[in-house]
Amino acid sequence: MVYDFKSIESKWQSYWSENKTFKVAMDNTMPKYYVLDMFPYPSGSGLHVGHPLGYIASDIISRFKRNKGFNVLHPMGFDSFGLPAEQYAIKTGKHPRLTTEINIKRFKKQLNKLGLSYDWDREIKTSDSSYYKWTQWIFLKLYNSFFDITDNKAKDISELKIPKGLNEDEKIQFIDSKRLAYLDNIDVNWCEELGTVLSNEEVIGGLSERGGYPVVRKPMRQWVMRITAYSERLLDDLKILDWPESIKLSQKNWIGKSEGAKIRFVIDKNSFIDVFTTRPDTIFGATYLVLAPENKLSIKLTTKENKNLVEDYIAKSSQKSDLERQENIKDKTGVFTGSYAFNPMSKEKIPIWIADYVLSGYGTGAVMAVPGHDERDYEFAKKFNLKILSVVQGGNKGDCYTGNGIITNSGKFNGLDNQKFKKIVCDILEETEAGEKTINYKLRDWIFTRQRYWGEPIPIMFDGKIKIPMTDRELPLELPDVDSFKPASDGSSPLARNNSWKNVLLDGKKYERETNTMPQWAGSCWYFLRFLDPRNSESFAEKNKIDYWMPVDVYIGGAEHAVLHLLYARFWHKVLYDLGYVSGPEPFKKLVNQGMILGNSAFIHRIKNSNTYVSYDLIEKYDVQKINIDIDLLNNNNELNLEKLKNSDIKYKNANYKFNEKFIVSREVEKMSKSKFNIVSPDRICEKYGADTLRMYEMFLGPLEQSKPWNTDGITGVHNFLKKFWNLYHDEIGFNVSDSKPNENSLKILHKTIKKVNSDIENFSFNTCVSAFMICVNELSSLNEKSSEVLRQLCLLISPFAPHICEEIWSKFGESDSISNQDFPTHDELYLIEDKFEYPISFNGKLRFKMIFKLDCEFNDIEKEISENEKVNTYLKGKKIKKIIFVKNKIINIVF
RNA sequence: GCUCGGGUGGUGGAAUUGGUAGACACGUUGGACUUAAAAUCCAAUGAACAGUAAUGUUCGUGCGGGUUCAAGUCCCGCCCCGAGUACCA
C-alpha cells in the first residue's frame, strides 16, 4: 500500500480544524506550557522555506508537551502594521488594510499546509482596532506613570510628589518631565532627498535603505519612552533568563553600563564643565577638554576671536551625515574655543576645544581628554599639537597606553596602582565637591513616533500646548482614511492632512489630535498577553488568565530581534508589572533563536558592455559581470536550461551565448530574497513530497540555531524514511500489524530511541532526533517487526515531527481519539541493559584484539584479578600489564 | 578596531563529563530488477601505501606547540570564515 501523503495530509488538516483539536482553555488541574513564535509580518511575497523553520520547531515542542500531559498554549497572529504595506500603498494607491488582509490569508493558508498545531481561535492582528485599542491603552498607562527612583518602580502619576511653590504651568511642566511617555525635541534621521523621517532600522551606514540617500540628524518633536529609567532592571533581570548567552550579551552591550565618575572642571566663578569618565585615575593626564558641537556651552564659552571659526564648525558638523562622521574616525576635526578650565587635581589651566568626535547624547556631552591613555584623544592631540602626558606606566614611550599600571606624573600619588588610585580620586573629588562616582548607560530613551500612516494613532489631543489624553472609554482611536499615503514634505504624517480627523470640537472647544503614529514595535511589545484572552473587550487580558499562562515558557524566533523587540517587550512588561497588571517581571522564560535558512543563488556571466553571456567554465578569458538569475531556470546544480532562460525574458532571447556542451552557472549562498531569485517555496516541496517530509527535512538539515543554506537534494532521504516508516505498518494490500510478542532486539532499539528522543527534544536537538528515528526504523524493518506493541509506541514517538502520517497510522489501530491526546512514550531501563559486550582494544595502534567481559566486571575487579592471580591476566601477548583503563564498563586501553 | 559564534570526508552534519572520529543522510561507484528509463532494493565509499584476497600499515577534526595512558573535545600562541557593533570617554 502506497504512502499517499497528499490525501493523508489534507484529510488530517481538515480533521484538526473541524474538530478544533488544538483549542485550549485555562485548566487549573493541568500544568501549563506556553510555546510562542515570533509572529510574522505578512509580507507580500509569502513564505519561503526559511520561515517555517522556527514554526516547525515550536510545533514539535508543542505536540511533545501536549503528549507529556501539559496544557499547551500555542497561538499565532500577525504583526500587520508596518512599512512595506504602506510603501506599496504609496506606489499603487491600494489601502494597506486590503493588501495586508490578502497577505494574511495567503500566509495562513501556507502555514496550515504545514500541519502546525495552532489554536487559530486566538488569532490576533495588530492592525485590528479591537487589538490596538489596548496598545493605545498601554500607551496611556505609560503616559500616566512615572518612575519612582526610591522604590525603583513605575507608579501612577497621581502618586508623584510635586515640589512646593510651583505655579500651575510649572506644575504641568514638572509632571510632564517625569512621565514614562513624554514629548521632546529629539534628533531624528531626516532624509532630505526622500523628504521624510526614517527609523534607525531604515538607515544603513548613514544612507537611506531605500535609494541610498544621505541621512542627517534633525531635531523634531517626538513622543519618547523613558526606557532609560529601567536600564538597571533590564540589565539585572537578564541573569534570571534562560536565553542564549549571545543574546543576553547583545542586550547587555546595548544597555552599555559603565561605571566611572562625573568630574567638574571650573572655568571661573560662575561657570564650569562637567565631564564623565571611566578613568578618573588618569585625571592628571587630562590636558584639555572637548565639548560636543551640540553642547549648549560650546557657543557660550567661545571668545570673540574664535567666534567665526566655532560657528562655522558647529554649522558644518550639524550638516554632516552619520556616514561622513563615521568616515573620519582616524582624521579628527575640531576647533579651539579660546577658553580655559582648571584641572581639579593638577590645578593646571587647560584649553577647551570643540570636536564632533564627542557625542552630545552620551554622558554630559563633554570629555576630559587624556591623550596619553585614550586613542581618540591621542589622535586629536597629535593633529592639533596638544600636550600629551603619560600618567600610567606601561606601553612604549610616546605611545597611547590604555592598560593598567603604576601611576606617574601625578604629584604625591606616584607609585600607586591605578585601580586603587581610581577610588582615591573619587573620594577626593567628593570631599572637595568637584565630582562624584557615577554610572552611565549607553541606552537612550526610545523614540516612539513615526511620521507614517499605517500604524496605531496616538490617543492624545492638544489644546495648544496642553496635552489631553483620551479616556479609556473613548478608545480605540480608529485610524481614519486619508486621501494619500505619502508623508508630507515637512516630514509630518499623512494623518496631518486629514483635517476633519485632526481637528476635534468638544463642548465648543477646539482640539488637535496627535498626527504621528506608533512604531511597528508597539504592537509586538505585548501581543503574547493578548493571546491569553484575545476577545476580551473589558481588559487586555483577564488577570487570572495572565497568572495561569504567563510567563512564556519557550519563545522561538530569529536572532535579528536580539535587541530591539526583546528589549522593548521586556520594558513594557516591567511597566505593566509595576502597575500590577501582570504577575511576573519578565515575559519570556526561555528564548531559542532559529538560524536563517539561506538561499543558493545562481549567476550567469555577461561580457561587460556586450550582449554575450559566457559559461562559467570559460570566464577567465573575459571581463565579465555576474547577474542573478532565477534558480528555476537550472537543469541541475549548475547547468543552465538555455531554452527556459530565453523564454523567460526578451533580453535573453536575443543575446549570444558562449559555452562548451553545457552552459554552466556559478552558485553562491545568500540570504533568501525575491530580488535574488533564489526563493524556494514550501508549497512546492509540500506538493512534491508532503508537509511531513518538509517538516522532518527542515529539522534534519542541521542544528536549529545554526544558519544553513537550503539544498533540496537531500530531501529524498527523509522522504524515503517516511515511506519505510509507512511500510512497517503496511503490506501491498493494506494495514498489517500483529499482536505477536515483539522481538527482544526491537524492544532494545525502540527503548534506546525513546530515551534519546525524549532528551533531545528537551534540548531542542531535533536533527539528532530525526537520525535516531531513521536508525530505529531501519532496524525494525530489517527485523521485520510487526508487533503492534512496538509499532504503536514508534508511531507516538514520531508524531510530533510527522503528525499527519502518524495520525493516519494511529487511526488504523482502531483509535478514535487524536494522537495528540495520547501519552508520549517513556523508556524502560530494562531494555537498555546489555548483558555482555565485546570491545576491540588497541595499544599504540599495534595491538588489536577482542576481549569479552561480563557486565558486572568493573575496573576494581580487573585490578583485583590481576593482583590476586598473576597467571591469569597479567600477561598479554607476552607483555606484562601494568594497568587497564576502564571507562563506563568499557576497556579503553591497557598500559604495559 | 572591539565583542560573540564557528573551522570535522565530495556535501549537510554526528560524537555525554577527554575514551574505537566520521553516526544518520545526500552524492558518487558497482550490482539486482527492467526492452529501456524512472522508482525501488543490495553493496562499497576519509586519504595514502602494501596485498589476488581476507586484511594490514601509516596519516587524518584550520595551523604550531603543550598537558594526558588517551585530545575534535582541555591549556598557550597564530590563521581563516560568519554574525553583531561602531568615536559610548
Side-chain angles (χ1 to χ4, degrees), chain A residues 78 96 100 176 196 407:
Chain A
F78 297 95
T100 306
D176 281 352
T196 181
I407 295 294

Side-chain angles (χ1 to χ4, degrees), chain A residues 604 611 613 629-630 632-634 640-659 663:
Chain A
I604 55 174
N611 198 19
Y613 295 87
I629 55 149
D630 199 315
D632 282 344
L633 302 172
L634 303 178
L640 181 71
N641 186 324
L642 216 52
E643 286 313 304
K644 267 196 195 168
L645 178 77
K646 283 181 179 172
N647 291 330
S648 70
D649 197 318
I650 191 85
K651 75 179 175 199
Y652 293 128
K653 187 123 203 161
N654 303 318
N656 304 313
Y657 297 89
K658 287 191 184 202
F659 58 98
F663 194 98

Side-chain angles (χ1 to χ4, degrees), chain A residues 613-618 621 635-636 638-643 646 657-665:
Chain A
Y613 295 87
V614 190
S615 176
Y616 186 56
D617 48 337
L618 303 173
K621 297 176 200 160
N635 280 341
N636 56 37
N638 54 11
E639 185 193 341
L640 181 71
N641 186 324
L642 216 52
E643 286 313 304
K646 283 181 179 172
Y657 297 89
K658 287 191 184 202
F659 58 98
N660 303 330
E661 291 170 30
K662 291 171 179 176
F663 194 98
I664 308 294
V665 298

Side-chain angles (χ1 to χ4, degrees), chain A residues 219-470:
Chain A
M220 276 182 94
R221 204 205 60 181
Q222 303 284 336
W223 281 98
V224 186
M225 293 274 167
R226 205 180 300 280
I227 191 173
T228 49
Y230 281 84
S231 303
E232 192 60 40
R233 278 172 61 187
L234 287 167
L235 189 65
D236 255 2
D237 289 348
L238 283 175
K239 288 177 201 143
I240 58 171
L241 296 175
D242 181 10
W243 287 17
E245 283 306 314
S246 61
I247 302 288
K248 287 203 216 177
L249 201 81
S250 353
Q251 293 226 343
K252 210 176 141 186
N253 291 341
W254 192 265
I255 296 166
K257 179 181 181 175
S258 50
E259 289 177 49
K262 199 159 98 183
I263 302 179
R264 179 159 297 185
F265 286 72
V266 173
I267 297 162
D268 53 41
K269 267 185 210 160
N270 304 315
S271 49
F272 57 83
I273 295 174
D274 281 336
V275 303
F276 173 74
T277 179
T278 54
R279 294 291 302 273
D281 51 315
T282 61
I283 178 91
F284 279 88
T287 52
Y288 62 101
L289 294 181
V290 194
L291 302 176
E294 295 87 352
N295 194 317
K296 279 170 196 148
L297 288 168
S298 291
I299 290 184
K300 223 173 107 190
L301 290 174
T302 303
T303 56
K304 269 184 197 159
E305 308 84 72
N306 296 294
K307 205 175 170 215
N308 285 340
L309 274 174
V310 168
E311 281 178 353
D312 197 40
Y313 183 77
I314 292 175
K316 263 187 190 160
S317 51
S318 78
Q319 281 163 16
K320 264 192 192 172
S321 68
D322 286 0
L323 185 69
E324 284 170 301
R325 280 204 178 187
Q326 279 165 29
E327 269 173 359
N328 298 339
I329 284 179
K330 278 280 156 190
D331 186 25
K332 300 264 185 293
T333 60
V335 281
F336 180 44
T337 58
S339 298
Y340 292 85
F342 291 95
N343 184 317
M345 293 292 283
S346 70
K347 310 291 178 201
E348 204 178 323
K349 191 177 173 187
I350 59 173
I352 303 169
W353 283 68
I354 296 169
D356 65 2
Y357 82 87
V358 174
L359 305 173
S360 63
Y362 184 75
T364 59
V367 301
M368 64 175 214
V370 187
H373 305 284
D374 181 284
E375 276 173 30
R376 293 150 300 174
D377 298 338
Y378 179 74
E379 296 281 337
F380 192 78
K382 260 201 335 201
K383 182 163 175 186
F384 293 99
N385 279 320
L386 294 158
K387 188 179 168 189
I388 301 174
L389 182 67
S390 171
V391 292
V392 181
Q393 281 175 7
N396 296 322
K397 248 195 176 167
D399 270 0
C400 169
Y401 173 67
T402 54
N404 292 320
I406 305 296
I407 295 294
T408 69
N409 290 326
S410 300
K412 59 179 177 181
F413 304 105
N414 289 347
L416 284 170
D417 176 80
N418 78 313
Q419 295 289 354
K420 277 183 198 153
F421 186 47
K422 243 182 210 177
K423 275 184 198 148
I424 296 170
V425 172
C426 289
D427 289 346
I428 294 172
L429 290 172
E430 262 168 51
E431 269 167 39
T432 56
E433 290 183 359
E436 61 194 359
K437 260 192 205 157
T438 359
I439 291 168
N440 230 305
Y441 300 92
K442 241 176 3 185
L443 186 68
R444 317 268 172 94
D445 276 342
W446 172 22
I447 301 172
F448 195 70
T449 32
R450 297 290 181 271
Q451 294 65 37
R452 298 278 174 193
Y453 171 71
W454 192 230
E456 300 88 345
I458 290 171
I460 301 270
M461 295 185 293
F462 294 92
D463 172 12
K465 280 207 159 178
I466 299 176
K467 294 176 268 303
I468 321 275
M470 292 173 69

Side-chain angles (χ1 to χ4, degrees), chain A residues 12 32 99 126 141 236 238 254 325 399 405 472 544-545 653 682-683 687 741 758 765 785 829 881:
Chain A
W12 289 103
K32 66 93 187 183
T99 45
T126 54
K141 284 289 159 230
D236 255 2
L238 283 175
W254 192 265
R325 280 204 178 187
D399 270 0
D472 292 359
N544 64 340
K545 288 182 179 160
K653 187 123 203 161
D683 302 353
E687 184 68 22
K741 262 205 150 189
N758 265 295
S765 175
E785 186 58 68
E829 287 286 350
I881 296 172

Side-chain angles (χ1 to χ4, degrees), chain A residues 649-695:
Chain A
D649 197 318
I650 191 85
K651 75 179 175 199
Y652 293 128
K653 187 123 203 161
N654 303 318
N656 304 313
Y657 297 89
K658 287 191 184 202
F659 58 98
N660 303 330
E661 291 170 30
K662 291 171 179 176
F663 194 98
I664 308 294
V665 298
S666 64
R667 305 296 299 258
E668 230 169 86
V669 171
E670 294 182 293
K671 206 173 161 175
M672 240 184 226
S673 116
K674 221 180 179 181
S675 63
K676 288 174 177 146
F677 304 110
N678 59 1
I679 295 224
V680 180
S681 155
D683 302 353
R684 285 173 52 195
I685 306 282
C686 283
E687 184 68 22
K688 195 165 174 196
Y689 299 101
D692 284 335
T693 302
L694 177 67
R695 288 169 64 108

